[in-house]
mmCIF file with all atom_site columns, all heavy atoms in Angstrom:
data_model
loop_
_atom_site.group_PDB
_atom_site.id
_atom_site.type_symbol
_atom_site.label_atom_id
_atom_site.label_alt_id
_atom_site.label_comp_id
_atom_site.label_asym_id
_atom_site.label_entity_id
_atom_site.label_seq_id
_atom_site.pdbx_PDB_ins_code
_atom_site.Cartn_x
_atom_site.Cartn_y
_atom_site.Cartn_z
_atom_site.occupancy
_atom_site.B_iso_or_equiv
_atom_site.pdbx_formal_charge
_atom_site.auth_seq_id
_atom_site.auth_comp_id
_atom_site.auth_asym_id
_atom_site.auth_atom_id
_atom_site.pdbx_PDB_model_num
ATOM 1  N N   . MET A 1 82 ? 3.972  -9.607  -1.583 1.00 0.00 ? 115 MET A N   1
ATOM 2  C CA  . MET A 1 82 ? 2.836  -8.927  -2.171 1.00 0.00 ? 115 MET A CA  1
ATOM 3  C C   . MET A 1 82 ? 2.951  -9.010  -3.685 1.00 0.00 ? 115 MET A C   1
ATOM 4  O O   . MET A 1 82 ? 3.884  -8.457  -4.275 1.00 0.00 ? 115 MET A O   1
ATOM 5  C CB  . MET A 1 82 ? 2.777  -7.466  -1.716 1.00 0.00 ? 115 MET A CB  1
ATOM 6  C CG  . MET A 1 82 ? 2.768  -7.304  -0.198 1.00 0.00 ? 115 MET A CG  1
ATOM 7  S SD  . MET A 1 82 ? 2.523  -5.589  0.314  1.00 0.00 ? 115 MET A SD  1
ATOM 8  C CE  . MET A 1 82 ? 4.025  -4.848  -0.338 1.00 0.00 ? 115 MET A CE  1
ATOM 9  N N   . ASN A 1 83 ? 2.014  -9.703  -4.305 1.00 0.00 ? 116 ASN A N   1
ATOM 10 C CA  . ASN A 1 83 ? 1.980  -9.867  -5.750 1.00 0.00 ? 116 ASN A CA  1
ATOM 11 C C   . ASN A 1 83 ? 0.736  -9.207  -6.317 1.00 0.00 ? 116 ASN A C   1
ATOM 12 O O   . ASN A 1 83 ? -0.226 -8.935  -5.608 1.00 0.00 ? 116 ASN A O   1
ATOM 13 C CB  . ASN A 1 83 ? 2.001  -11.352 -6.122 1.00 0.00 ? 116 ASN A CB  1
ATOM 14 C CG  . ASN A 1 83 ? 3.245  -12.068 -5.673 1.00 0.00 ? 116 ASN A CG  1
ATOM 15 O OD1 . ASN A 1 83 ? 4.331  -11.497 -5.647 1.00 0.00 ? 116 ASN A OD1 1
ATOM 16 N ND2 . ASN A 1 83 ? 3.095  -13.346 -5.329 1.00 0.00 ? 116 ASN A ND2 1
ATOM 17 N N   . SER A 1 84 ? 0.750  -8.986  -7.615 1.00 0.00 ? 117 SER A N   1
ATOM 18 C CA  . SER A 1 84 ? -0.388 -8.395  -8.310 1.00 0.00 ? 117 SER A CA  1
ATOM 19 C C   . SER A 1 84 ? -0.876 -7.136  -7.610 1.00 0.00 ? 117 SER A C   1
ATOM 20 O O   . SER A 1 84 ? -2.071 -6.942  -7.370 1.00 0.00 ? 117 SER A O   1
ATOM 21 C CB  . SER A 1 84 ? -1.526 -9.416  -8.437 1.00 0.00 ? 117 SER A CB  1
ATOM 22 O OG  . SER A 1 84 ? -1.100 -10.573 -9.128 1.00 0.00 ? 117 SER A OG  1
ATOM 23 N N   . LEU A 1 85 ? 0.055  -6.264  -7.291 1.00 0.00 ? 118 LEU A N   1
ATOM 24 C CA  . LEU A 1 85 ? -0.270 -5.076  -6.510 1.00 0.00 ? 118 LEU A CA  1
ATOM 25 C C   . LEU A 1 85 ? -1.195 -4.138  -7.270 1.00 0.00 ? 118 LEU A C   1
ATOM 26 O O   . LEU A 1 85 ? -1.099 -3.999  -8.499 1.00 0.00 ? 118 LEU A O   1
ATOM 27 C CB  . LEU A 1 85 ? 1.007  -4.353  -6.104 1.00 0.00 ? 118 LEU A CB  1
ATOM 28 C CG  . LEU A 1 85 ? 1.754  -5.013  -4.941 1.00 0.00 ? 118 LEU A CG  1
ATOM 29 C CD1 . LEU A 1 85 ? 3.193  -4.535  -4.885 1.00 0.00 ? 118 LEU A CD1 1
ATOM 30 C CD2 . LEU A 1 85 ? 1.041  -4.718  -3.623 1.00 0.00 ? 118 LEU A CD2 1
ATOM 31 N N   . LYS A 1 86 ? -2.075 -3.510  -6.520 1.00 0.00 ? 119 LYS A N   1
ATOM 32 C CA  . LYS A 1 86 ? -3.050 -2.576  -7.057 1.00 0.00 ? 119 LYS A CA  1
ATOM 33 C C   . LYS A 1 86 ? -2.863 -1.212  -6.399 1.00 0.00 ? 119 LYS A C   1
ATOM 34 O O   . LYS A 1 86 ? -2.339 -1.126  -5.285 1.00 0.00 ? 119 LYS A O   1
ATOM 35 C CB  . LYS A 1 86 ? -4.474 -3.077  -6.780 1.00 0.00 ? 119 LYS A CB  1
ATOM 36 C CG  . LYS A 1 86 ? -4.757 -4.464  -7.307 1.00 0.00 ? 119 LYS A CG  1
ATOM 37 C CD  . LYS A 1 86 ? -6.213 -4.860  -7.090 1.00 0.00 ? 119 LYS A CD  1
ATOM 38 C CE  . LYS A 1 86 ? -6.546 -4.989  -5.624 1.00 0.00 ? 119 LYS A CE  1
ATOM 39 N NZ  . LYS A 1 86 ? -7.949 -5.480  -5.426 1.00 0.00 ? 119 LYS A NZ  1
ATOM 40 N N   . PRO A 1 87 ? -3.295 -0.140  -7.043 1.00 0.00 ? 120 PRO A N   1
ATOM 41 C CA  . PRO A 1 87 ? -3.191 1.174   -6.396 1.00 0.00 ? 120 PRO A CA  1
ATOM 42 C C   . PRO A 1 87 ? -3.842 1.223   -5.017 1.00 0.00 ? 120 PRO A C   1
ATOM 43 O O   . PRO A 1 87 ? -3.361 1.954   -4.145 1.00 0.00 ? 120 PRO A O   1
ATOM 44 C CB  . PRO A 1 87 ? -3.883 2.105   -7.391 1.00 0.00 ? 120 PRO A CB  1
ATOM 45 C CG  . PRO A 1 87 ? -3.640 1.459   -8.714 1.00 0.00 ? 120 PRO A CG  1
ATOM 46 C CD  . PRO A 1 87 ? -3.722 -0.022  -8.446 1.00 0.00 ? 120 PRO A CD  1
ATOM 47 N N   . ASP A 1 88 ? -4.902 0.454   -4.801 1.00 0.00 ? 121 ASP A N   1
ATOM 48 C CA  . ASP A 1 88 ? -5.557 0.428   -3.495 1.00 0.00 ? 121 ASP A CA  1
ATOM 49 C C   . ASP A 1 88 ? -4.678 -0.167  -2.397 1.00 0.00 ? 121 ASP A C   1
ATOM 50 O O   . ASP A 1 88 ? -4.995 -0.037  -1.219 1.00 0.00 ? 121 ASP A O   1
ATOM 51 C CB  . ASP A 1 88 ? -6.862 -0.360  -3.565 1.00 0.00 ? 121 ASP A CB  1
ATOM 52 C CG  . ASP A 1 88 ? -7.988 0.404   -4.224 1.00 0.00 ? 121 ASP A CG  1
ATOM 53 O OD1 . ASP A 1 88 ? -7.835 1.619   -4.460 1.00 0.00 ? 121 ASP A OD1 1
ATOM 54 O OD2 . ASP A 1 88 ? -9.036 -0.208  -4.508 1.00 0.00 ? 121 ASP A OD2 1
ATOM 55 N N   . ASP A 1 89 ? -3.595 -0.836  -2.778 1.00 0.00 ? 122 ASP A N   1
ATOM 56 C CA  . ASP A 1 89 ? -2.661 -1.364  -1.792 1.00 0.00 ? 122 ASP A CA  1
ATOM 57 C C   . ASP A 1 89 ? -1.711 -0.302  -1.255 1.00 0.00 ? 122 ASP A C   1
ATOM 58 O O   . ASP A 1 89 ? -0.946 -0.576  -0.332 1.00 0.00 ? 122 ASP A O   1
ATOM 59 C CB  . ASP A 1 89 ? -1.841 -2.511  -2.389 1.00 0.00 ? 122 ASP A CB  1
ATOM 60 C CG  . ASP A 1 89 ? -2.692 -3.703  -2.778 1.00 0.00 ? 122 ASP A CG  1
ATOM 61 O OD1 . ASP A 1 89 ? -3.607 -4.058  -2.010 1.00 0.00 ? 122 ASP A OD1 1
ATOM 62 O OD2 . ASP A 1 89 ? -2.435 -4.286  -3.847 1.00 0.00 ? 122 ASP A OD2 1
ATOM 63 N N   . THR A 1 90 ? -1.728 0.883   -1.834 1.00 0.00 ? 123 THR A N   1
ATOM 64 C CA  . THR A 1 90 ? -0.864 1.963   -1.371 1.00 0.00 ? 123 THR A CA  1
ATOM 65 C C   . THR A 1 90 ? -1.166 2.279   0.091  1.00 0.00 ? 123 THR A C   1
ATOM 66 O O   . THR A 1 90 ? -2.315 2.545   0.458  1.00 0.00 ? 123 THR A O   1
ATOM 67 C CB  . THR A 1 90 ? -1.054 3.208   -2.230 1.00 0.00 ? 123 THR A CB  1
ATOM 68 O OG1 . THR A 1 90 ? -0.629 2.924   -3.565 1.00 0.00 ? 123 THR A OG1 1
ATOM 69 C CG2 . THR A 1 90 ? -0.245 4.377   -1.688 1.00 0.00 ? 123 THR A CG2 1
ATOM 70 N N   . ALA A 1 91 ? -0.143 2.231   0.927  1.00 0.00 ? 124 ALA A N   1
ATOM 71 C CA  . ALA A 1 91 ? -0.315 2.447   2.360  1.00 0.00 ? 124 ALA A CA  1
ATOM 72 C C   . ALA A 1 91 ? 1.044  2.396   3.023  1.00 0.00 ? 124 ALA A C   1
ATOM 73 O O   . ALA A 1 91 ? 2.043  2.008   2.402  1.00 0.00 ? 124 ALA A O   1
ATOM 74 C CB  . ALA A 1 91 ? -1.229 1.377   2.971  1.00 0.00 ? 124 ALA A CB  1
ATOM 75 N N   . VAL A 1 92 ? 1.077  2.774   4.290  1.00 0.00 ? 125 VAL A N   1
ATOM 76 C CA  . VAL A 1 92 ? 2.207  2.462   5.146  1.00 0.00 ? 125 VAL A CA  1
ATOM 77 C C   . VAL A 1 92 ? 1.923  1.109   5.776  1.00 0.00 ? 125 VAL A C   1
ATOM 78 O O   . VAL A 1 92 ? 0.860  0.904   6.367  1.00 0.00 ? 125 VAL A O   1
ATOM 79 C CB  . VAL A 1 92 ? 2.434  3.534   6.219  1.00 0.00 ? 125 VAL A CB  1
ATOM 80 C CG1 . VAL A 1 92 ? 3.573  3.125   7.152  1.00 0.00 ? 125 VAL A CG1 1
ATOM 81 C CG2 . VAL A 1 92 ? 2.747  4.870   5.568  1.00 0.00 ? 125 VAL A CG2 1
ATOM 82 N N   . TYR A 1 93 ? 2.852  0.190   5.644  1.00 0.00 ? 126 TYR A N   1
ATOM 83 C CA  . TYR A 1 93 ? 2.695  -1.164  6.154  1.00 0.00 ? 126 TYR A CA  1
ATOM 84 C C   . TYR A 1 93 ? 3.497  -1.323  7.437  1.00 0.00 ? 126 TYR A C   1
ATOM 85 O O   . TYR A 1 93 ? 4.661  -0.930  7.519  1.00 0.00 ? 126 TYR A O   1
ATOM 86 C CB  . TYR A 1 93 ? 3.154  -2.187  5.114  1.00 0.00 ? 126 TYR A CB  1
ATOM 87 C CG  . TYR A 1 93 ? 2.149  -2.379  4.014  1.00 0.00 ? 126 TYR A CG  1
ATOM 88 C CD1 . TYR A 1 93 ? 1.969  -1.399  3.040  1.00 0.00 ? 126 TYR A CD1 1
ATOM 89 C CD2 . TYR A 1 93 ? 1.352  -3.525  3.952  1.00 0.00 ? 126 TYR A CD2 1
ATOM 90 C CE1 . TYR A 1 93 ? 1.024  -1.557  2.039  1.00 0.00 ? 126 TYR A CE1 1
ATOM 91 C CE2 . TYR A 1 93 ? 0.413  -3.690  2.952  1.00 0.00 ? 126 TYR A CE2 1
ATOM 92 C CZ  . TYR A 1 93 ? 0.253  -2.703  1.999  1.00 0.00 ? 126 TYR A CZ  1
ATOM 93 O OH  . TYR A 1 93 ? -0.685 -2.869  1.008  1.00 0.00 ? 126 TYR A OH  1
#
Side-chain angles (χ1 to χ4, degrees):
M115 305 186 295
N116 298 326
S117 302
L118 283 162
K119 304 184 294 184
D121 284 350
D122 296 318
T123 296
V125 176
Y126 283 73

